[in-house]
Amino acid sequence: MSAEFERVLMPRSPAPVLAIDGPSGSGKGTIAHRLAALLGFHVLDSGSLYRLLALAAQHHGVGLDNEPALQVLAGHLDVQFQQSPAGQAVIILEGEDVTTEIRSEEMGKAASMVAALPAVRAGLLQRQQAFREAPGLVADGRDMGTVVFPDACLKIFLTATAEARAERRYRQLLEKGFSASLPALVEDIRARDDRDINRAIAPLKPADDAIVLDSTRLGIDEVMARVLREIEQIPELKRLLK
Ligand code: DC
């Protein structure tokens, strides 16, 4: 069969996507990175794009409710995702390393505010879909399985109570030497959940065909073991496990 004949008649199927959605603090970022390492896949941390947009808005003096200006900014976001020599992810916004800065609670809240605007979501859609490259992608977010990659071959919705998620965050902050208030963290998480769940567009919710995993009483290794059990049911993914 000629290469041209093959290209026209047998178009290649798009790279497989695993969608890991859920609220903040559910452990989806850790699971997404571990899965990507096991499968040799790329990773999309879609929340980082909303955080980067919020930070860019701050740099350019754009209000977090200025939808037309945010849409323009989303279309022109000058971002590079790089790796340090030690293999750590490094995020460069307009030439500046913002890897740590975008992880603050303040940026999380600002990201959740800009993410509620339909024009912003439309402006970031193609940028997210462009991460889908061979051999495959693990995509982490809120609407990966419902909107961005509805044809994902596996959809996991990872959840946990607000108290359990706040407690994980509390321990992380103390380990890093920051002081923190547990009741304030529970309140922040509830407010963010409320905004993400109740927005009019692409709200945080499991896709109809998602597997919902409650990690309230599970450690990260147990969650990983359950996800791997699901992967083993999918031959195209099973054969890639390292
Ligand atoms: O996952 P994260 O905490 O970095 O996300 C920050 C905010 O971005 C989150 O509160 C809601 C928004 N977000 C979203 O609306 N859709 C996504 N796919 C990812 C994040």
Side-chain angles (χ1 to χ4, degrees):
M1 196 186 295
S2 79
E4 177 64 5
F5 185 73
E6 198 172 341
R7 192 181 63 74
V8 174
L9 283 189
M10 302 174 69
R12 272 210 212 126
S13 45
V17 177
L18 265 83
I20 316 281
D21 288 304
S24 41
S26 58
K28 62 195 160 52
T30 308
I31 294 292
H33 279 89
R34 284 209 198 170
L35 282 177
L38 274 176
L39 292 161
F41 279 14
H42 304 282
V43 187
L44 164 62
D45 165 12
S46 60
S48 72
L49 289 172
Y50 292 95
R51 288 172 183 265
L52 285 160
L53 179 62
L55 183 58
Q58 206 177 67
H59 286 171
H60 294 280
V62 170
L64 296 179
D65 56 353
N66 185 344
E67 193 165 358
L70 287 167
Q71 185 178 20
V72 174
L73 212 49
H76 293 88
L77 212 51
D78 172 12
V79 179
Q80 280 138 29
F81 292 90
Q82 302 178 348
Q83 270 206 344
S84 73
Q88 302 281 55
V90 177
I91 305 181
I92 309 288
L93 175 67
E94 295 167 358
E96 192 191 331
D97 182 346
V98 295
T99 318
T100 309
E101 196 178 354
I102 59 162
R103 294 292 152 206
S104 69
E105 296 298 304
E106 184 203 345
M107 270 316 136
K109 183 175 171 195
S112 162
M113 288 166 76
V114 297
L117 304 172
V120 163
R121 303 199 76 84
L124 291 178
L125 184 63
Q126 274 189 356
R127 198 183 275 265
Q128 295 173 79
Q129 289 170 336
F131 278 78
R132 184 178 203 163
E133 281 188 357
L137 177 70
V138 184
D140 139 20
R142 305 290 188 289
D143 60 343
M144 299 295 100
T146 50
V147 175
V148 183
F149 302 108
D151 63 337
C153 61
L154 179 62
K155 299 178 187 179
I156 303 285
F157 191 89
L158 201 52
T159 180
T161 61
E163 288 76 11
R165 290 180 284 128
E167 207 169 310
R168 287 175 199 161
R169 182 78 185 132
Y170 180 69
R171 271 190 257 121
Q172 277 172 358
L173 287 170
L174 294 194
E175 272 165 26
K176 287 183 191 162
F178 294 108
S179 64
S181 144
L182 187 56
L185 284 170
V186 175
E187 209 172 295
D188 284 355
I189 281 204
R190 286 223 176 95
R192 186 120 78 90
D193 282 357
D194 190 51
R195 201 167 23 237
D196 294 347
I197 291 168
N198 293 312
R199 67 181 173 222
I201 180 165
L204 168 66
K205 65 164 190 192
D208 291 340
D209 50 350
I211 293 154
V212 179
L213 280 181
D214 185 338
S215 73
T216 304
R217 288 174 213 289
L218 300 178
I220 209 79
D221 290 337
E222 289 163 297
V223 175
M224 195 62 196
R226 293 204 186 186
V227 176
L228 285 175
R229 252 184 266 154
E230 300 299 334
I231 288 184
E232 282 170 4
Q233 309 298 315
I234 303 173
E236 71 172 311
L237 295 179
K238 188 181 176 187
R239 70 184 166 79
L240 294 171
L241 280 176
K242 291 180 182 167

